[in-house]
Amino acid sequence: MRRFLDNLYGAAGLLAGLCTVGVLISVLAGIASRQLAINLPGTDAYAGYFMAAAGFLALASTFKHGEHIRVTLLLNSLAPAGSRRLDIFALAVATLLAAAFAYYSVKLAHDSWLYHDISTGNDATPLWIPQITMAVGAFLFLVAIADELVRRMKGQAAPTAQQTHE
Protein backbone atom coordinates (compact mmCIF):
# COMPACT_ATOMS: atom_id res chain seq x y z
CA MET A 1 0.00 0.00 0.00
CA ARG A 2 2.88 2.36 0.81
CA ARG A 3 4.36 1.92 -2.66
CA PHE A 4 0.95 2.48 -4.31
CA LEU A 5 0.36 5.73 -2.41
CA ASP A 6 3.86 7.02 -3.07
CA ASN A 7 3.45 6.21 -6.78
CA LEU A 8 0.07 7.95 -6.78
CA TYR A 9 1.55 11.10 -5.23
CA GLY A 10 4.45 10.93 -7.68
CA ALA A 11 2.11 10.53 -10.66
CA ALA A 12 0.11 13.57 -9.53
CA GLY A 13 3.36 15.52 -9.18
CA LEU A 14 4.37 14.46 -12.69
CA LEU A 15 1.01 15.59 -14.05
CA ALA A 16 1.49 18.90 -12.24
CA GLY A 17 4.82 19.28 -14.02
CA LEU A 18 3.17 18.54 -17.37
CA CYS A 19 0.52 21.14 -16.60
CA THR A 20 3.31 23.65 -15.97
CA VAL A 21 4.56 22.86 -19.46
CA GLY A 22 0.97 23.38 -20.62
CA VAL A 23 1.07 26.88 -19.11
CA LEU A 24 4.23 27.61 -21.06
CA ILE A 25 2.80 26.29 -24.33
CA SER A 26 -0.46 28.22 -23.86
CA VAL A 27 1.36 31.47 -23.13
CA LEU A 28 3.76 31.00 -26.05
CA ALA A 29 0.87 30.14 -28.38
CA GLY A 30 -0.95 33.28 -27.28
CA ILE A 31 2.13 35.43 -27.85
CA ALA A 32 2.87 33.86 -31.23
CA SER A 33 -0.72 34.14 -32.41
CA ARG A 34 -0.85 37.83 -31.55
CA GLN A 35 2.44 38.47 -33.34
CA LEU A 36 1.21 36.63 -36.42
CA ALA A 37 -2.24 38.27 -36.28
CA ILE A 38 -3.93 34.88 -35.95
CA ASN A 39 -6.99 34.52 -33.77
CA LEU A 40 -6.30 31.68 -31.33
CA PRO A 41 -9.15 31.95 -28.80
CA GLY A 42 -8.78 30.81 -25.21
CA THR A 43 -5.01 30.75 -24.81
CA ASP A 44 -5.19 32.95 -21.71
CA ALA A 45 -7.96 30.83 -20.23
CA TYR A 46 -6.10 27.61 -20.92
CA ALA A 47 -2.95 28.99 -19.33
CA GLY A 48 -5.06 29.69 -16.25
CA TYR A 49 -6.60 26.21 -16.30
CA PHE A 50 -3.18 24.61 -16.58
CA MET A 51 -1.81 26.79 -13.78
CA ALA A 52 -4.66 25.85 -11.44
CA ALA A 53 -4.27 22.18 -12.35
CA ALA A 54 -0.52 22.33 -11.66
CA GLY A 55 -1.12 23.88 -8.25
CA PHE A 56 -3.78 21.42 -7.14
CA LEU A 57 -2.16 18.29 -8.54
CA ALA A 58 1.11 19.17 -6.82
CA LEU A 59 -0.43 19.50 -3.33
CA ALA A 60 -0.13 15.84 -2.26
CA SER A 61 3.37 15.29 -3.60
CA THR A 62 4.63 18.54 -2.12
CA PHE A 63 3.09 17.70 1.25
CA LYS A 64 4.53 14.18 1.31
CA HIS A 65 7.99 15.53 0.50
CA GLY A 66 7.87 17.92 3.47
CA GLU A 67 7.93 20.97 1.20
CA HIS A 68 4.82 22.71 2.58
CA ILE A 69 5.54 25.52 5.02
CA ARG A 70 5.16 24.35 8.61
CA VAL A 71 5.51 26.56 11.63
CA THR A 72 7.43 24.25 13.95
CA LEU A 73 8.39 26.79 16.62
CA LEU A 74 5.79 25.47 19.06
CA LEU A 75 6.35 21.82 18.12
CA ASN A 76 10.10 22.14 18.68
CA SER A 77 9.64 23.82 22.07
CA LEU A 78 7.55 20.96 23.48
CA ALA A 79 8.71 17.67 24.92
CA PRO A 80 8.66 14.83 22.36
CA ALA A 81 5.37 13.39 23.67
CA GLY A 82 3.64 16.77 23.65
CA SER A 83 5.04 17.58 20.23
CA ARG A 84 3.72 14.30 18.87
CA ARG A 85 0.26 14.89 20.34
CA LEU A 86 0.09 18.42 18.94
CA ASP A 87 1.26 17.18 15.54
CA ILE A 88 -1.44 14.48 15.53
CA PHE A 89 -4.05 17.06 16.55
CA ALA A 90 -2.94 19.43 13.76
CA LEU A 91 -3.06 16.60 11.20
CA ALA A 92 -6.53 15.56 12.42
CA VAL A 93 -7.83 19.12 11.98
CA ALA A 94 -6.08 19.35 8.60
CA THR A 95 -7.74 16.07 7.56
CA LEU A 96 -11.18 17.48 8.39
CA LEU A 97 -10.47 20.71 6.50
CA ALA A 98 -9.04 18.82 3.52
CA ALA A 99 -12.12 16.55 3.52
CA ALA A 100 -14.40 19.59 3.30
CA PHE A 101 -12.21 21.08 0.58
CA ALA A 102 -12.23 17.84 -1.41
CA TYR A 103 -15.99 17.42 -0.99
CA TYR A 104 -16.79 20.91 -2.23
CA SER A 105 -14.28 20.66 -5.08
CA VAL A 106 -15.95 17.47 -6.30
CA LYS A 107 -19.37 19.07 -5.80
CA LEU A 108 -18.32 22.13 -7.82
CA ALA A 109 -17.13 20.00 -10.75
CA HIS A 110 -20.25 17.85 -10.58
CA ASP A 111 -22.57 20.86 -10.45
CA SER A 112 -20.75 22.45 -13.39
CA TRP A 113 -21.25 19.25 -15.36
CA LEU A 114 -24.89 18.94 -14.26
CA TYR A 115 -25.79 22.52 -15.20
CA HIS A 116 -23.61 22.67 -18.31
CA ASP A 117 -21.55 25.63 -17.05
CA ILE A 118 -19.16 26.97 -19.65
CA SER A 119 -16.39 29.51 -19.56
CA THR A 120 -17.47 33.10 -20.15
CA GLY A 121 -14.43 33.61 -22.38
CA ASN A 122 -14.44 33.08 -26.13
CA ASP A 123 -13.14 29.52 -25.63
CA ALA A 124 -16.52 28.37 -24.15
CA THR A 125 -14.88 25.45 -22.34
CA PRO A 126 -17.18 23.30 -20.21
CA LEU A 127 -15.98 24.25 -16.72
CA TRP A 128 -16.20 20.76 -15.29
CA ILE A 129 -13.19 19.76 -17.39
CA PRO A 130 -10.63 22.04 -15.71
CA GLN A 131 -12.43 21.67 -12.38
CA ILE A 132 -11.76 17.93 -12.38
CA THR A 133 -8.07 18.60 -11.78
CA MET A 134 -8.96 20.70 -8.73
CA ALA A 135 -11.20 17.93 -7.40
CA VAL A 136 -8.59 15.23 -8.02
CA GLY A 137 -5.82 17.35 -6.49
CA ALA A 138 -7.93 18.19 -3.43
CA PHE A 139 -8.86 14.52 -2.98
CA LEU A 140 -5.23 13.38 -3.27
CA PHE A 141 -4.25 16.07 -0.76
CA LEU A 142 -6.87 14.65 1.63
CA VAL A 143 -5.44 11.16 1.15
CA ALA A 144 -1.89 12.45 1.76
CA ILE A 145 -2.86 14.23 4.97
CA ALA A 146 -4.84 11.22 6.24
CA ASP A 147 -1.87 9.03 5.32
CA GLU A 148 0.44 11.23 7.38
CA LEU A 149 -2.02 11.23 10.28
CA VAL A 150 -2.00 7.42 10.31
CA ARG A 151 1.80 7.35 10.03
CA ARG A 152 2.19 9.80 12.91
CA MET A 153 -0.28 7.85 15.07
CA LYS A 154 1.95 4.79 14.46
CA GLY A 155 4.89 6.81 15.81
CA GLN A 156 6.64 7.54 12.51
CA ALA A 157 8.36 10.90 12.12
CA ALA A 158 7.23 13.63 9.76
CA PRO A 159 9.00 13.75 6.40
CA THR A 160 11.36 16.63 5.92
CA ALA A 161 12.43 18.20 2.67
CA GLN A 162 16.02 17.19 3.36
CA GLN A 163 15.13 13.51 3.93
CA THR A 164 13.16 13.21 0.69
CA HIS A 165 15.98 14.69 -1.41
CA GLU A 166 18.64 12.30 -0.13
Side-chain angles (χ1 to χ4, degrees):
M1 184 60 133
R2 171 87 271 132
R3 183 179 298 168
F4 171 75
L5 288 175
D6 288 342
N7 288 337
L8 187 62
Y9 306 141
L14 179 64
L15 283 175
L18 291 174
C19 287
T20 303
V21 172
V23 172
L24 173 68
I25 292 169
S26 295
V27 169
L28 290 176
I31 292 170
S33 69
R34 281 189 286 278
Q35 294 299 315
L36 299 172
I38 299 171
N39 182 23
L40 195 57
T43 55
D44 294 339
Y46 283 101
Y49 300 150
F50 279 124
M51 188 177 300
F56 281 99
L57 291 172
L59 285 172
S61 177
T62 304
F63 178 75
K64 291 303 284 184
H65 284 93
E67 297 286 347
H68 281 213
I69 296 172
R70 288 180 49 134
V71 180
T72 57
L73 184 64
L74 183 59
L75 285 174
N76 292 339
S77 67
L78 296 174
S83 177
R84 181 175 175 268
R85 282 193 292 272
L86 181 60
D87 201 22
I88 289 172
F89 173 76
L91 285 168
V93 170
T95 301
L96 292 175
L97 292 171
F101 185 45
Y103 171 79
Y104 285 107
S105 296
V106 170
K107 184 176 178 353
L108 176 66
H110 179 261
D111 287 350
S112 291
W113 173 77
L114 193 64
Y115 299 115
H116 306 288
D117 285 344
I118 61 169
S119 168
T120 57
N122 59 0
D123 60 309
T125 301
L127 288 177
W128 64 268
I129 296 170
Q131 289 170 351
I132 284 177
T133 59
M134 182 175 98
V136 168
F139 179 75
L140 289 176
F141 189 47
L142 166 63
V143 171
I145 293 174
D147 179 24
E148 271 312 300
L149 175 61
V150 169
R151 287 173 39 90
R152 209 74 85 253
M153 289 171 67
K154 289 181 177 179
Q156 298 173 349
T160 63
Q162 188 175 19
Q163 289 172 336
T164 57
H165 294 297
E166 292 176 351

